[in-house]
Amino acid sequence: MSDRFPQYTTDYISGVMSLRKPQKKSLEILADILNSITLRKGMNLRGALGAVHAMYPTCSDFEREFLSLTFALATGVGKTRLMGAFIAYLYTQHDIRNYFVVAPNTTIYEKLKKDLSDQNGKKYVFKGLGCFAAAPQIITDDDYRTKSISLFESDIRIFVYNIDKFNKESANMKKLNEIIGDSFYRYLSNLSDLVLIMDESHHYRAEKGAEALNELRPLLGLELTATPYVRQGTKQVNFKNVVYEYPLSAAIADGYTRTPFAVTRSDINFFNFGDEQLDKLMLQDGISCHENAKHALEVYAANHGKERVKPFMLVVCKDTNHANWVEQYVRSDAFRNGAYSGKTIVVHSKKTGAETEANMRLLLDVEQADNPVEIVIHVNMLKEGWDVNNLYTIVPLRTATSKILREQMVGRGLRLPYGERTGDETVDSVRLTAHDKFGEILEEAQRGDSIFKAGNIIKAEDLKPSEITYPTVAMELPSQETHEEAYAQTGLQQSPENDAVFAAAQNKIRQAIAQIYRDASPHTDPAQSIRQAAENVSAQLAEDQDLGETFRNNENPFSDWIVHETEKTHAATKAKFIPIPRIRITDAGVEEYNFTDFDLDLSDFDHVPISNELLIQNLTDPADRQRIHGDTIDFEAYKPGKVILTELRKKPEIDYEKCPALIQKLITQLLAHYETRHGENGMRNIVMMYRRDIANKLYNQMMKHFYCTNGMLQEEVIGTSDHNLAQAYSWDEKVDLFGTFHGNIRNVLFTGIKKGVFAEAKFDSKEGELTLAHVLERDPDVLKWLRPHPREFDITYNHGHNYEPDFVVETEDIIYLVEVKGEDKLKDPDVLAKKTRAIQYCAVASRWGNANGYKEWRYLFIPSKQVLPNSSFKQLAVRFKEL
């Protein structure tokens, strides 16, 4: 064990590298195994296998001529990042300096080279680590022939090879190399600390590949794959050396991927459909899903200041003739009026020549926003390594129905384009049309390990084309009185033609002012923007087919009036906004950790006392062990509460001094639970034998009630925003604010708002949010109210998560930040963390406002059921204000 980097424990590496739960667990398992055996070349593999099998029974055979362990992690979890963690751990804790990374194909090989070597890349696997004096030396392709591979350039070396090239080049690698004084192959095999890392390791089980790797005689093999099995004829043979498996269903449940949905149509017997008829229906429904996702992604990007993700649809066909028919149909006017004629590519092995090269270039760049492709037609599954994050719709036409194939298809669309779930169901989903296979998928959904769940079903007939709206500022529409002012200012004679010009100009001016605010940046010059807007309105009217002649006949008075009206509309619009303080954080301060009070869920704790046996272990052969019955073990001398507390204190988030009452309560509940079931001595037995597992389970429950605050956060207001942000809304149904709607409220755009800053808004709930909007619109004490844009406030909590308040309400003396929450969420740790930060924001804004002539800010936290149609805002503010 190396003592050069004592701080590089598995917890430290996991924290520095921000490893996800399955990555951290994999690293801990590797550490457990290497701490239980003596790792050396030529070791007793039978003995080592006995020790590993005792800890991880799924490992019954290393299946190679060296110690090799498989970590089966689902697609999208981050196997390459885990490689970096493995290398960091082995280097810092076991002084291992030579690594051979093998890839199954050119695509993954190129990806691995980049991720292991490009220090400026987004996916650089060693990002955050400070244990390397110089970045690891990467040796690839024919480097061994021409470059020195000494240790002087870096402490460690990573050899990266494509298995096909490695097999083909093996003859040359076995020839004498003058630079290293030996053959490259023998040089590698003679290294005492060579660790072999196999990406997508199910490819290296064939005889030739396995033999080539065995000849390297590595110290240790680490295998990474999402599919820990191989096909032998019609049978599926599982790996025998798996020490950890994290399936796709777990990754989806834990939020590391998008959620798969099956799309079908209700009340249709697809058995009666012909092949072409069913294909056309699935393609039409698939494109509806695609367009639905496209709208949702556009709205999310606009509202959150994110880079736009352009989705595409993958159509999987049974053969090349089928693919050609699909291509002709999709490009035809019969399919969305030919809208996708220039947005479709076909990729299969029988295509050749320039078209294929062009299509492959488009395929490889399909993630780029300026790439026109929205439909990819393919015959077989695309190769591993083609990892894209913008596949949102999959249409399998007449393809095989196996669970494995479905998982492979869906796996292509599970990567999160923004690196984490967004909270928008459509942005966080991938959709598989499943018309004729729906029954099988539904049956599969009932099984515990299914990637589909019974609730993840979408009815195609419910998918309606969404509209996208940017709300306008709620202002009075042009009136006859306004036209009279216009005639008085211009000196023109009243006429229907001039009325039409004035009305059109006023509408265009409102649109231009709205655009100014949508495009505004901190560096925008308002005066210049207003002048430019007035000039644009005049130019549009001059070119208008119906109004142009009237405008040009009196261009000067019309243009002067347009300038005046644009300035007036801008001023009126600005007065409609609620000024939001802009806060600068001058000192990030010290994070303080807190836990909300809760009772332990005891169903997690099902341990039983161990039997009184003695273990006799052969020290020279780990596989040789015996058990004999021993005397009763007396645990009375142990203090079980202190034992658990000691384990808990090893966790970085738990500070006993800050929450002693909660920790003592939980430990007391736990000990009473075991004592009731197994007696006092049984309870002590369980705690001593399973203390780490017990502490981990207790810790996991505590973390569900965990939140952090910046206890010493220092903030200052540096001014106010001069306008409120208009967020993009997608909607299926449009109704008046007080009108009746029929669908899901989240898909309804409410219009006709007068007191709101904007004339349109959407709401997440009828009880609470919509009811409060009704109260605000009618209440005489309310001057203005706002549904704030997600980027309106820069309020962060819990490690940088953004807080988006529900409402901002302005009265004569006070501006309120309002949160409406369901009663079941009132003690949610996440909600409480938001509440703490919002109160702090209001305090900072109020101090600044008092000193600079602005209104006081207060925070209201209102349970949704307390908002009634006959509520007054004044009483709600009195009852629910937070000090």
Side-chain angles (χ1 to χ4, degrees), residues 759-770:
E760 299 88 17
K762 285 181 67 177
F763 305 97
D764 294 328
S765 63
K766 182 177 181 181
E767 183 183 69
E769 289 188 358
L770 180 57

Side-chain angles (χ1 to χ4, degrees), residues 89-144:
Y89 170 77
L90 292 169
Y91 169 61
T92 59
Q93 301 305 299
H94 294 272
D95 202 28
I96 294 174
R97 301 174 179 232
N98 291 285
Y99 302 86
F100 193 97
V101 179
V102 59
N105 58 47
T106 303
T107 306
I108 295 180
Y109 166 69
E110 294 294 340
K111 176 178 176 291
L112 285 173
K113 275 203 307 184
K114 181 177 175 61
D115 292 349
L116 288 165
S117 62
D118 184 3
Q119 298 178 53
N120 297 318
K122 291 182 180 179
K123 298 181 179 179
Y124 181 55
V125 298
F126 300 116
K127 190 171 291 183
L129 293 171
C131 55
F132 306 122
Q137 183 180 358
I138 308 300
I139 301 162
T140 64
D141 287 332
D142 299 333
D143 284 353
Y144 72 92

Side-chain angles (χ1 to χ4, degrees), residues 489-653:
Q489 182 182 337
T490 58
L492 297 173
Q493 294 296 316
Q494 185 169 359
S495 69
E497 293 79 11
N498 288 340
D499 279 348
V501 172
F502 285 131
Q506 285 172 320
N507 285 331
K508 291 181 183 296
I509 287 169
R510 284 164 54 82
Q511 293 170 9
I513 296 301
Q515 190 64 45
I516 286 174
Y517 283 114
R518 275 206 294 273
D519 297 341
S521 72
H523 308 294
T524 300
D525 179 356
Q528 182 179 347
S529 297
I530 293 168
R531 286 194 301 272
Q532 186 63 54
E535 291 173 7
N536 292 343
V537 171
S538 294
Q540 291 171 27
L541 289 170
E543 297 171 4
D544 189 280
Q545 185 175 353
D546 298 321
L547 305 174
E549 184 177 352
T550 303
F551 178 84
R552 290 191 298 271
N553 288 339
N554 294 283
E555 185 166 352
N556 287 337
F558 273 132
S559 294
D560 290 343
W561 173 82
I562 286 172
V563 171
H564 171 77
E565 190 69 13
T566 303
E567 291 174 345
K568 187 175 80 170
T569 303
H570 181 268
T573 301
K574 188 173 181 179
K576 184 71 177 179
F577 293 130
I578 299 175
I580 307 292
R582 291 186 291 117
I583 289 181
R584 177 173 62 200
I585 299 174
T586 55
D587 181 3
V590 178
E591 287 184 328
E592 297 204 2
Y593 303 105
N594 301 276
F595 294 89
T596 56
D597 188 42
F598 72 100
D599 289 317
L600 210 56
D601 178 3
L602 295 168
S603 63
D604 263 358
F605 300 92
D606 53 2
H607 303 91
V608 295
I610 66 163
S611 58
N612 290 311
E613 291 183 334
L614 299 180
L615 176 66
I616 301 177
Q617 175 68 60
N618 183 331
L619 296 180
T620 62
D621 185 355
D624 181 9
R625 60 174 56 178
Q626 302 176 41
R627 295 179 184 273
I628 62 173
H629 190 74
D631 295 330
T632 300
I633 304 174
D634 182 5
F635 291 97
E636 288 187 5
Y638 296 113
K639 297 181 178 179
K642 185 176 181 181
V643 168
I644 295 174
L645 180 59
T646 300
E647 292 294 330
L648 283 177
R649 280 180 153 169
K650 296 176 182 178
K651 308 296 183 182
E653 296 88 353

Side-chain angles (χ1 to χ4, degrees), residues 102-112 160-165 199-200 202-204 382-386 412:
V102 59
N105 58 47
T106 303
T107 306
I108 295 180
Y109 166 69
E110 294 294 340
K111 176 178 176 291
L112 285 173
V160 187
Y161 282 87
N162 179 347
I163 188 64
D164 289 335
K165 183 173 180 62
D199 196 13
E200 305 296 350
H202 52 282
H203 289 281
Y204 319 128
L382 295 157
K383 290 184 177 180
E384 289 165 314
W386 186 65
R412 297 287 177 220

Side-chain angles (χ1 to χ4, degrees), residues 9-54:
T9 61
T10 54
D11 279 346
Y12 178 80
I13 294 172
S14 298
V16 169
M17 297 186 72
S18 301
L19 296 186
R20 292 169 165 176
K21 181 176 71 173
Q23 295 167 322
K24 182 181 180 183
K25 181 66 175 176
S26 298
L27 186 62
E28 290 172 344
I29 287 173
L30 177 62
D32 279 348
I33 290 172
L34 296 188
N35 288 334
S36 301
I37 62 175
T38 302
L39 188 64
R40 66 177 185 275
K41 227 168 182 180
M43 63 190 301
N44 181 343
L45 288 182
R46 181 171 170 271
L49 179 61
V52 174
H53 178 67

